[in-house]
Amino acid sequence: MSKRVLITGGAGFIGSHLGDLLLSKGYTVKAYDNLEPQVHGENASRPGYLNSEIELIVGDVRDAELFAETMRTADILVHFAAAVGVGQSMYEITRYTSINTMGAAVVLEEITKQKDHIEKMLVASSMSIYGEGLYICPACGEVTPKLRSAEQLASRKWDMLCPVCARPCVPAPTPETKPLYPTSVYAINKRDHEELFLSIGDAYNIPTTAMRFFNAYGDRQALSNPYTGVGAIFASRLLNGKPPVVFEDGGQSRDFIHVRDIARGCLLAIESERSSGEVFNLGTGRKLSIMEAGKAIARELGRPVDNFLVNNQYRAGDIRHCYADISRAEKLLGFKASTSFEDGVRELCNWVASQTSSDMVDHATAELSERGLAK
Ligand code: UD1
């Protein structure tokens, strides 16, 4: 009989792609998802992109009874369900902590009662738990700074300074061993996910792995969600004839990884015997500035590459740079991202062009500004 995987958040952006991949490898897949209105729209029904072979159970991860019943017929748990807006998590603190941290607690408590038939657990963590990435200072060597100070940001000096000698320092690939400095409620919730899953997995002898996703992009990323990733936001603004809004000076960078590469990394972790008890970065190992990413998207859409609204503001808790050291995933899982940003952006833009989306970014930025979270 084929192995049965339950994916919480399985109707979402990353979960549905992993579902497709698992089906193609002969697994049976069930999605457990609350079809969150902010992501799927009001009164949403089953998303059209969700593979027809995936059974969808609509439910909340905090509904212990429904989760337990659904899990009873699965061998493998993939826990992706989460509220994911970093900025929004800074004012909807109870909602985020309830869905994310309490949700994981409810799920794990049920798992402990069913441990005998569960072969593997995989949980989605996030690069956001690092806070700032690793940097190299020309004088001090490797440094792990915390967030830039309020005074520094107020004076619009965006680049990271060495926490020891205050010289400018440059970003370096961030390994899993970097100390964690989560800077948002969302990031704290994600660290909770990771630690809760790994400790319960260890205590109950269930092989468990946490995946630290870097900035995932690709089709099915919720476009009407104002708190979605920057790639989808830029593409939908450009298609709506509006200039993308760039925070800071656009020189901040991220590691953009295509969602299909994320799915592949997760499959490798599910199948590998060397992944138990481990955390893995899932990125490309390549950093790209927000401005470069925006220009690539504009170029692909045939829009001007210099019509960006660089607003010289910053979002509270935003980091300047973080990109993945991918050597652990490479060594233990044999993982390497294979979709180039150029190819991925082409696909993203084709998909965004086929969607109708209301652009909610101005609304989201106003909400952050009102609360002093974007200045
Ligand atoms: C993102 C995800 C987070 C995930 C993490 C790692 C979102 C909303 N956040 O966080 O869930 O855990 O990656 O995968 O998907 N920016 C602009 N203009 C905009 C929007 C953003 O300039 O309109 C800038 C931001 O200031 C930031 C950068 O783009 O510097 C990236 O922002 P975002 O896409 O929100 O991602 P992260 O905060 O890195």
Side-chain angles (χ1 to χ4, degrees):
M1 198 175 73
S2 68
K3 296 267 182 224
R4 301 162 302 176
V5 183
L6 176 64
I7 309 177
T8 69
F13 166 46
I14 302 180
S16 67
H17 277 281
L18 178 59
D20 286 345
L21 182 61
L22 287 165
L23 284 173
S24 77
K25 301 288 176 193
Y27 290 83
T28 302
V29 181
K30 256 198 263 190
Y32 185 90
D33 200 298
N34 72 338
L35 301 180
E36 164 63 43
Q38 186 167 308
V39 174
H40 294 274
E42 288 300 328
N43 305 315
S45 53
R46 183 186 175 100
Y49 56 68
L50 191 65
N51 198 304
S52 58
E53 288 173 48
I54 295 178
E55 183 190 350
L56 171 65
I57 286 85
V58 178
D60 192 297
V61 280
R62 293 160 296 177
D63 181 341
E65 214 173 303
L66 182 59
F67 173 77
E69 189 189 314
T70 313
M71 191 64 215
R72 226 159 263 134
T73 51
D75 311 301
I76 296 167
L77 172 66
V78 172
H79 186 58
F80 281 3
V84 298
V86 177
Q88 193 177 36
S89 77
M90 299 303 278
Y91 54 96
E92 295 193 5
I93 301 167
T94 31
R95 185 166 85 88
Y96 271 73
T97 304
S98 172
I99 297 171
N100 295 342
T101 302
M102 269 309 285
V106 171
V107 161
L108 287 168
E109 203 162 304
E110 295 312 314
I111 290 291
T112 63
K113 300 175 197 161
Q114 301 188 24
K115 63 178 189 319
D116 294 341
H117 72 91
I118 296 165
E119 296 174 14
K120 173 88 195 175
M121 296 196 291
L122 187 84
V123 65
S125 180
S126 161
M127 54 70 94
S128 61
I129 69 177
Y130 289 121
E132 285 288 350
L134 182 71
Y135 288 78
I136 308 285
C137 164
C140 309
E142 282 189 359
V143 286
T144 56
K146 300 214 166 139
L147 287 182
R148 294 160 293 177
S149 69
E151 300 79 61
Q152 181 186 338
L153 293 169
S155 61
R156 271 54 190 156
K157 293 204 172 74
W158 304 120
D159 279 325
M160 183 54 75
L161 303 174
C162 172
V164 182
C165 70
R167 286 192 182 85
C169 51
V170 293
T174 299
E176 288 85 351
T177 48
K178 195 205 86 91
L180 305 178
Y181 304 137
T183 60
S184 65
V185 172
Y186 166 78
I188 293 166
N189 295 163
K190 278 286 159 181
R191 188 183 62 188
D192 288 347
H193 266 182
E194 200 177 294
E195 292 177 351
L196 286 167
F197 268 79
L198 289 172
S199 62
I200 295 298
D202 189 44
Y204 288 86
N205 215 8
I206 305 169
T208 301
T209 308
M211 308 304 281
R212 292 182 183 161
F213 298 160
F214 279 66
N215 291 60
Y217 71 96
D219 57 303
R220 307 179 189 170
Q221 197 157 13
L223 290 181
S224 50
N225 181 357
Y227 300 95
T228 196
V230 68
I233 289 177
F234 281 5
S236 59
R237 277 188 76 89
L238 285 160
L239 280 160
N240 285 329
K242 292 190 190 159
V245 176
V246 174
F247 289 107
E248 305 185 17
D249 59 355
Q252 68 272 37
S253 68
R254 296 291 187 273
D255 183 335
F256 292 96
I257 174 165
H258 193 270
V259 63
R260 273 198 312 274
D261 279 326
I262 295 257
R264 221 163 33 77
C266 290
L267 177 70
L268 288 168
I270 288 171
E271 294 187 336
S272 165
E273 289 187 354
R274 305 173 77 187
S275 65
S276 183
E278 293 283 353
V279 298
F280 291 100
N281 283 341
L282 218 45
T284 64
R286 177 184 171 201
K287 75 176 161 56
L288 200 66
S289 76
I290 297 307
M291 190 58 98
E292 286 172 284
K295 286 187 173 171
I297 295 168
R299 227 176 282 124
E300 184 55 43
L301 292 171
R303 309 282 152 135
V305 293
D306 46 10
N307 188 23
F308 288 69
L309 208 79
V310 182
N311 71 1
N312 222 27
Q313 293 188 348
Y314 64 94
R315 295 190 311 195
D318 256 358
I319 56 158
R320 183 68 174 167
H321 302 289
C322 187
Y323 69 108
D325 178 332
I326 52 166
S327 47
R328 185 184 288 179
E330 218 166 355
K331 188 164 151 234
L332 294 186
L333 305 177
F335 173 76
K336 210 172 171 66
S338 64
T339 306
S340 68
F341 190 67
E342 293 66 28
D343 289 346
V345 156
R346 188 162 318 123
E347 258 188 59
L348 173 75
C349 291
N350 286 338
W351 175 75
V352 174
S354 72
Q355 305 293 304
T356 44
S357 79
S358 50
D359 178 4
M360 302 284 289
V361 175
D362 293 336
H363 172 72
T365 308
E367 274 192 342
L368 293 181
S369 299
E370 250 170 53
R371 293 173 167 85
L373 297 172
K375 320 184 211 206

